[in-house]
Amino acid sequence: GAGVSQSPSNKVTEKGKDVELRCDPISGHTALYWYRQSLGQGLEFLIYFQGNSAPDKSGLPSDRFSAERTGGSVSTLTIQRTQQEDSAVYLCASSKQGISTDTQYFGPGTRLTVL
Amino acid sequence: SQKIEQNSEALNIQEGKTATLTCNYTNYSPAYLQWYRQDPGRGPVFLLLIRENEKEKRKERLKVTFDTTLKQSLFHITASQPADSATYLCALPASNDYKLSFGAGTTVTVRA
């Protein structure tokens, strides 16, 4: 595909359930970012993957959040025991080299609603 | 960490007028700054990058300025059109080499 894709586009879950969000970056992009966007807020950095390097997990809000990137491509963000405050849009972005002058290409996001 | 402030109020303007958005930052001066556009239900899309040694950058009807003394960037949409209605985000590099910090954005509505 030409762009970054994310699935599902919408996810409604009950408090306490686990959810998995998927991101397919642009082919050949070595860097992948996850962000969270709450209503009226800026993008909150969650995690960064670059090639085979150890990910930067410094933005993950709690140990209920984890992410993997398999084969340097697809990434999955997992939220365990979801809470209502986890409701937000989760955005994934990829870039060619993973330096901050790179353009970040964003997916459409997954809107997560925790009831 | 960098604190970024954008116009807190939404901007409503008449078609054909110029919209001016501000992005102020409070800590260290970055070497560059980026602007993104975000439409409802979509991810942000890159528009422009301006470096600290560039006073002004243009792309079609968009103009960005970067004043490191004032710690401010201005984003102008000239001859605005209803299709320009969106939220505009500024982004600055964080303390390391790969992260960007994003402002909350300014929502622009252009009335026909």
Side-chain angles (χ1 to χ4, degrees), chain A residues 28-53:
Chain A
H29 280 193
T30 61
L32 188 147
Y33 302 77
W34 281 99
Y35 295 90
R36 179 168 70 176
Q37 187 174 35
S38 301
L39 192 64
Q41 303 295 313
L43 276 68
E44 176 189 3
F45 168 81
L46 297 177
I47 189 168
Y48 163 82
F49 294 92
Q50 168 63 334
N52 295 320
S53 302

Short mmCIF file of all heavy atoms in Angstrom, two decimals, chain A residues 28-53:
data_model
loop_
_atom_site.label_atom_id
_atom_site.label_comp_id
_atom_site.label_asym_id
_atom_site.label_seq_id
_atom_site.Cartn_x
_atom_site.Cartn_y
_atom_site.Cartn_z
N GLY A 28 9.78 -0.14 3.70
CA GLY A 28 11.10 0.46 3.61
C GLY A 28 11.38 1.50 4.68
O GLY A 28 12.54 1.92 4.85
N HIS A 29 10.36 1.95 5.38
CA HIS A 29 10.59 2.90 6.47
C HIS A 29 11.14 2.15 7.68
O HIS A 29 10.56 1.16 8.13
CB HIS A 29 9.28 3.60 6.84
CG HIS A 29 8.92 4.71 5.91
ND1 HIS A 29 7.94 5.63 6.20
CD2 HIS A 29 9.44 5.07 4.71
CE1 HIS A 29 7.86 6.50 5.21
NE2 HIS A 29 8.75 6.17 4.29
N THR A 30 12.24 2.66 8.21
CA THR A 30 12.89 1.95 9.31
C THR A 30 12.32 2.35 10.67
O THR A 30 12.46 1.62 11.63
CB THR A 30 14.40 2.20 9.32
OG1 THR A 30 14.63 3.61 9.49
CG2 THR A 30 15.03 1.75 8.00
N ALA A 31 11.72 3.53 10.73
CA ALA A 31 11.24 4.03 12.02
C ALA A 31 9.73 3.97 12.11
O ALA A 31 9.03 4.21 11.12
CB ALA A 31 11.71 5.46 12.24
N LEU A 32 9.24 3.66 13.30
CA LEU A 32 7.81 3.58 13.55
C LEU A 32 7.53 4.19 14.91
O LEU A 32 8.23 3.94 15.90
CB LEU A 32 7.35 2.12 13.50
CG LEU A 32 5.84 1.86 13.56
CD1 LEU A 32 5.48 0.61 12.75
CD2 LEU A 32 5.33 1.75 14.99
N TYR A 33 6.51 5.04 14.95
CA TYR A 33 6.12 5.74 16.18
C TYR A 33 4.67 5.40 16.50
O TYR A 33 3.83 5.31 15.60
CB TYR A 33 6.20 7.26 16.00
CG TYR A 33 7.53 7.83 15.59
CD1 TYR A 33 8.00 7.74 14.29
CD2 TYR A 33 8.31 8.51 16.51
CE1 TYR A 33 9.20 8.29 13.91
CE2 TYR A 33 9.53 9.09 16.14
CZ TYR A 33 9.96 8.98 14.83
OH TYR A 33 11.17 9.54 14.47
N TRP A 34 4.34 5.35 17.77
CA TRP A 34 2.95 5.32 18.24
C TRP A 34 2.70 6.58 19.06
O TRP A 34 3.54 6.97 19.91
CB TRP A 34 2.68 4.10 19.13
CG TRP A 34 2.47 2.82 18.40
CD1 TRP A 34 3.39 1.82 18.17
CD2 TRP A 34 1.25 2.35 17.82
NE1 TRP A 34 2.81 0.79 17.49
CE2 TRP A 34 1.51 1.08 17.26
CE3 TRP A 34 -0.04 2.87 17.72
CZ2 TRP A 34 0.52 0.33 16.62
CZ3 TRP A 34 -1.01 2.13 17.07
CH2 TRP A 34 -0.73 0.88 16.54
N TYR A 35 1.54 7.19 18.81
CA TYR A 35 1.10 8.36 19.56
C TYR A 35 -0.32 8.13 20.06
O TYR A 35 -1.08 7.33 19.51
CB TYR A 35 1.07 9.62 18.68
CG TYR A 35 2.38 10.09 18.15
CD1 TYR A 35 2.87 9.62 16.92
CD2 TYR A 35 3.14 11.03 18.83
CE1 TYR A 35 4.07 10.08 16.40
CE2 TYR A 35 4.35 11.49 18.32
CZ TYR A 35 4.79 11.02 17.11
OH TYR A 35 5.98 11.47 16.61
N ARG A 36 -0.70 8.91 21.06
CA ARG A 36 -2.07 8.91 21.54
C ARG A 36 -2.57 10.35 21.46
O ARG A 36 -1.84 11.29 21.82
CB ARG A 36 -2.13 8.40 22.98
CG ARG A 36 -3.50 8.39 23.58
CD ARG A 36 -3.53 7.61 24.88
NE ARG A 36 -2.85 8.25 25.98
CZ ARG A 36 -2.83 7.76 27.22
NH1 ARG A 36 -3.48 6.63 27.50
NH2 ARG A 36 -2.18 8.40 28.18
N GLN A 37 -3.80 10.51 20.99
CA GLN A 37 -4.39 11.84 20.87
C GLN A 37 -5.74 11.84 21.55
O GLN A 37 -6.68 11.18 21.08
CB GLN A 37 -4.52 12.25 19.40
CG GLN A 37 -4.95 13.69 19.19
CD GLN A 37 -4.93 14.09 17.73
OE1 GLN A 37 -5.21 13.29 16.84
NE2 GLN A 37 -4.58 15.34 17.46
N SER A 38 -5.83 12.58 22.64
CA SER A 38 -7.11 12.73 23.32
C SER A 38 -7.77 14.00 22.82
O SER A 38 -7.10 14.89 22.28
CB SER A 38 -6.89 12.81 24.84
OG SER A 38 -6.24 11.64 25.29
N LEU A 39 -9.07 14.11 23.02
CA LEU A 39 -9.85 15.22 22.48
C LEU A 39 -9.25 16.55 22.90
O LEU A 39 -9.06 16.82 24.08
CB LEU A 39 -11.30 15.11 22.96
CG LEU A 39 -12.30 16.03 22.26
CD1 LEU A 39 -12.39 15.68 20.79
CD2 LEU A 39 -13.66 15.94 22.90
N GLY A 40 -8.93 17.40 21.92
CA GLY A 40 -8.41 18.73 22.22
C GLY A 40 -6.98 18.76 22.70
O GLY A 40 -6.47 19.81 23.08
N GLN A 41 -6.32 17.61 22.66
CA GLN A 41 -4.93 17.53 23.13
C GLN A 41 -3.98 17.32 21.97
O GLN A 41 -4.38 16.87 20.89
CB GLN A 41 -4.78 16.38 24.13
CG GLN A 41 -5.71 16.46 25.32
CD GLN A 41 -5.42 17.64 26.19
OE1 GLN A 41 -4.27 17.92 26.53
NE2 GLN A 41 -6.45 18.39 26.55
N GLY A 42 -2.73 17.63 22.22
CA GLY A 42 -1.71 17.34 21.22
C GLY A 42 -1.40 15.86 21.18
O GLY A 42 -1.91 15.08 21.98
N LEU A 43 -0.56 15.49 20.27
CA LEU A 43 -0.15 14.09 20.16
C LEU A 43 0.81 13.77 21.29
O LEU A 43 1.80 14.46 21.52
CB LEU A 43 0.55 13.84 18.82
CG LEU A 43 -0.34 13.55 17.63
CD1 LEU A 43 -1.15 14.75 17.24
CD2 LEU A 43 0.49 13.05 16.47
N GLU A 44 0.50 12.70 22.00
CA GLU A 44 1.33 12.25 23.11
C GLU A 44 2.18 11.07 22.63
O GLU A 44 1.64 10.04 22.23
CB GLU A 44 0.42 11.83 24.27
CG GLU A 44 1.15 11.24 25.46
CD GLU A 44 0.17 10.65 26.47
OE1 GLU A 44 -1.06 10.65 26.22
OE2 GLU A 44 0.64 10.16 27.51
N PHE A 45 3.47 11.23 22.66
CA PHE A 45 4.38 10.18 22.23
C PHE A 45 4.27 8.97 23.15
O PHE A 45 4.25 9.10 24.38
CB PHE A 45 5.82 10.70 22.24
CG PHE A 45 6.87 9.63 22.10
CD1 PHE A 45 7.19 9.12 20.86
CD2 PHE A 45 7.52 9.13 23.22
CE1 PHE A 45 8.16 8.13 20.73
CE2 PHE A 45 8.49 8.15 23.10
CZ PHE A 45 8.80 7.65 21.86
N LEU A 46 4.20 7.79 22.55
CA LEU A 46 4.14 6.56 23.34
C LEU A 46 5.41 5.74 23.21
O LEU A 46 6.05 5.41 24.21
CB LEU A 46 2.92 5.72 22.92
CG LEU A 46 1.54 6.34 23.14
CD1 LEU A 46 0.45 5.41 22.62
CD2 LEU A 46 1.32 6.66 24.61
N ILE A 47 5.77 5.37 21.98
CA ILE A 47 6.89 4.45 21.78
C ILE A 47 7.48 4.64 20.39
O ILE A 47 6.78 5.07 19.47
CB ILE A 47 6.44 2.98 22.01
CG1 ILE A 47 7.63 2.03 22.03
CG2 ILE A 47 5.41 2.57 20.97
CD1 ILE A 47 7.27 0.63 22.53
N TYR A 48 8.76 4.33 20.26
CA TYR A 48 9.50 4.51 19.00
C TYR A 48 10.30 3.26 18.72
O TYR A 48 11.01 2.75 19.60
CB TYR A 48 10.40 5.73 19.14
CG TYR A 48 11.53 5.86 18.14
CD1 TYR A 48 11.30 6.39 16.87
CD2 TYR A 48 12.84 5.50 18.47
CE1 TYR A 48 12.34 6.56 15.97
CE2 TYR A 48 13.87 5.67 17.57
CZ TYR A 48 13.62 6.20 16.32
OH TYR A 48 14.65 6.37 15.43
N PHE A 49 10.21 2.77 17.49
CA PHE A 49 11.02 1.65 17.02
C PHE A 49 11.91 2.13 15.89
O PHE A 49 11.47 2.88 15.01
CB PHE A 49 10.13 0.53 16.46
CG PHE A 49 9.25 -0.13 17.47
CD1 PHE A 49 7.96 0.32 17.68
CD2 PHE A 49 9.70 -1.23 18.19
CE1 PHE A 49 7.13 -0.29 18.60
CE2 PHE A 49 8.88 -1.86 19.11
CZ PHE A 49 7.59 -1.38 19.32
N GLN A 50 13.17 1.69 15.90
CA GLN A 50 14.09 2.03 14.81
C GLN A 50 14.91 0.79 14.49
O GLN A 50 15.76 0.38 15.28
CB GLN A 50 14.99 3.21 15.20
CG GLN A 50 16.17 3.45 14.28
CD GLN A 50 15.78 3.81 12.85
OE1 GLN A 50 14.73 3.48 12.36
NE2 GLN A 50 16.68 4.52 12.19
N GLY A 51 14.66 0.24 13.34
CA GLY A 51 15.42 -0.92 12.89
C GLY A 51 15.43 -2.01 13.95
O GLY A 51 14.40 -2.37 14.51
N ASN A 52 16.63 -2.50 14.22
CA ASN A 52 16.79 -3.57 15.21
C ASN A 52 17.18 -3.05 16.59
O ASN A 52 17.48 -3.84 17.49
CB ASN A 52 17.87 -4.56 14.73
CG ASN A 52 17.44 -5.27 13.46
OD1 ASN A 52 16.28 -5.63 13.32
ND2 ASN A 52 18.37 -5.45 12.54
N SER A 53 17.18 -1.72 16.73
CA SER A 53 17.58 -1.15 18.03
C SER A 53 16.49 -1.38 19.06
O SER A 53 15.31 -1.58 18.72
CB SER A 53 17.82 0.35 17.88
OG SER A 53 18.81 0.60 16.91
#
